[in-house]
Amino acid sequence: MTDGYLWFEGIRFPVIGYSYEVLKEACAQFVIKDEDTVLVTYPKSGTHWLVEILCLIHSHGDTKWIRSELLWDRSPWIETDDGYTLLNEREGPRLMTSHLPFHLFPKSLFTSKAKVIYIMRNPKDVLVSSYYHWTMTKLCKKPESLEQYFQWFIQGNVPYGSWFEHIRGWMSMRERENVLLLSYEELQKDPRSAIERICQFLGKKLSPEELDSVLKNSSFQVMRQNKMSNFEMLPEAFIRKPFLITRKGICGDWKNHLTVAQAEAFDEVYQEKMAGFPKDLFPWE
Ligand code: A3P
């Protein structure tokens, strides 16, 4: 570790749980199968929430699985050391997660019929959430202040690279039949409808009672009590504070953190980097 990051193909990655060799092999050779379900997100966009929802849908609302296996083992991250090993040992249909930018993603995805769910979130909330995340974990260089992190974020000098490039890359897949585009905001606004959309996409039929259980057990209040999902079980080498227990799980928290000048500067960069995308594609102003 020289500058607090692991570098791969010009992108920063965390130094704990990742290695150059696995990243290289996973990106070049990992085989996605038709029966797999792949969750793709930029970090801090609601990944863990979606994993909990997907596991509960899979088990028809039964909580045994989410209460007995760690979240990151239920849906391993393709690009991490442990996740890659787990996935290669696992028989399909597999559930898996990734934060990889589009251009680094294993190419086998593009010829497979695997179901892909991409969840996006207001980038200002992602910025604030990720500032706390990288501060509370020991996974990579710790920002000294939100002001400093703000600059890193808009320049893309953060783990997994630029938010703008991530979303631009993955948006190119949005018209595909096997891709579902979701947002953290719609999950907050109407979780039942969003979960129904996911069930429909996955071809899962749940009874109203099963759906109630998915809703209840994936709620922020219940998830933060689940030791298998709330980061309490992460080894001390990874974490300073259990993230889910200390954070809020709301939309618009950026308003409590960014100054007016920062928000304006962010909007200017956003306009420039997201030029050409229809505004109504995204549920934030
Ligand atoms: P905040 O830091 O804004 O609270 P990820 O899972 O991609 O790392 O995203 C983490 C963000 O999702 C955090 O946002 C976290 O609180 C929020 N989150 C996690 N579980 C949630 C849930 N069940 N309901 C709503 N938000 C949730």
Side-chain angles (χ1 to χ4, degrees):
M1 176 169 128
T2 48
D3 64 352
Y5 299 105
L6 171 73
W7 285 84
F8 177 69
E9 297 284 332
I11 305 250
R12 290 164 174 82
F13 285 88
V15 284
I16 301 178
Y18 293 71
S19 64
Y20 184 86
E21 294 68 32
V22 165
L23 279 166
K24 192 169 168 212
E25 193 176 309
C27 294
Q29 294 174 22
F30 184 68
V31 179
I32 311 267
K33 301 178 187 156
D34 288 346
E35 66 271 23
D36 292 334
T37 302
V38 189
L39 171 62
V40 184
T41 67
Y42 186 84
K44 313 322 292 175
S45 303
T47 325
H48 295 79
W49 189 9
L50 239 291
V51 172
E52 204 81 331
I53 290 172
L54 291 175
C55 293
L56 283 160
I57 290 176
H58 180 82
S59 55
H60 285 254
D62 189 302
T63 56
K64 260 189 239 99
W65 190 25
I66 64 157
R67 302 224 172 259
S68 60
E69 189 175 10
L70 286 166
L71 184 146
W72 38 94
D73 291 347
R74 282 181 256 136
S75 182
W77 268 242
I78 300 170
E79 63 271 18
T80 64
D81 291 351
D82 289 351
Y84 186 65
T85 307
L86 271 175
L87 285 169
N88 279 316
E89 287 165 353
R90 205 160 274 184
E91 297 293 317
R94 300 169 300 179
L95 178 59
M96 61 188 79
T97 305
S98 178
H99 294 313
L100 284 171
F102 184 67
H103 71 284
L104 291 184
F105 205 85
K107 300 292 170 275
S108 56
L109 177 74
F110 308 117
T111 48
S112 87
K113 295 192 185 96
K115 298 240 161 81
V116 180
I117 301 179
Y118 185 87
I119 175 154
M120 56 187 177
R121 185 182 190 190
N122 184 332
K124 290 186 192 130
D125 281 332
V126 172
L127 187 160
V128 170
S129 181
S130 56
Y131 165 69
Y132 282 106
H133 182 78
W134 304 123
T135 307
M136 290 177 193
T137 57
K138 301 175 186 171
L139 301 175
C140 58
K141 187 169 170 177
K142 185 178 168 213
E144 279 161 23
S145 62
L146 180 58
E147 173 60 39
Q148 183 188 49
Y149 188 76
F150 179 87
Q151 296 302 331
W152 294 357
F153 189 91
I154 56 174
Q155 289 158 15
N157 298 334
V158 288
Y160 285 97
S162 159
W163 177 89
F164 302 99
E165 275 160 36
H166 203 277
I167 194 146
R168 290 188 69 95
W170 281 102
M171 280 303 116
S172 64
M173 296 278 284
R174 71 182 189 275
E175 306 287 357
R176 291 204 185 193
E177 233 174 63
N178 63 331
V179 175
L180 177 68
L181 182 62
L182 276 177
S183 68
Y184 182 90
E185 288 71 20
E186 73 180 284
L187 264 165
Q188 283 278 7
K189 200 169 156 200
D190 187 353
R192 181 176 283 271
S193 300
I195 293 170
E196 279 170 346
R197 264 184 81 202
I198 300 170
C199 288
Q200 199 177 17
F201 174 70
L202 296 177
K204 283 264 181 190
K205 265 205 161 319
L206 265 58
S207 69
E209 295 73 31
E210 290 169 345
L211 201 68
D212 284 345
S213 172
V214 177
L215 257 172
K216 178 176 149 216
N217 290 295
S218 63
S219 70
F220 190 71
Q221 290 69 21
V222 174
M223 247 185 100
R224 77 193 316 192
Q225 308 286 341
N226 181 3
K227 280 194 174 149
M228 296 294 153
S229 311
N230 69 7
F231 293 80
E232 232 180 300
M233 305 291 274
L234 268 187
E236 247 178 65
F238 281 55
I239 198 156
R240 295 187 173 87
K241 287 181 194 161
F243 193 80
L244 204 62
I245 299 175
T246 44
R247 286 290 297 154
K248 301 182 185 169
I250 56 166
C251 295
D253 192 33
W254 65 268
K255 292 178 190 150
N256 301 317
H257 289 83
L258 302 189
T259 62
V260 173
Q262 280 174 327
E264 283 172 6
F266 191 98
D267 289 343
E268 222 171 280
V269 176
Y270 183 95
Q271 300 304 338
E272 182 199 317
K273 303 255 190 203
M274 300 303 285
F277 277 97
K279 283 212 172 86
D280 58 6
L281 196 56
F282 308 114
W284 49 82
E285 321 97 56

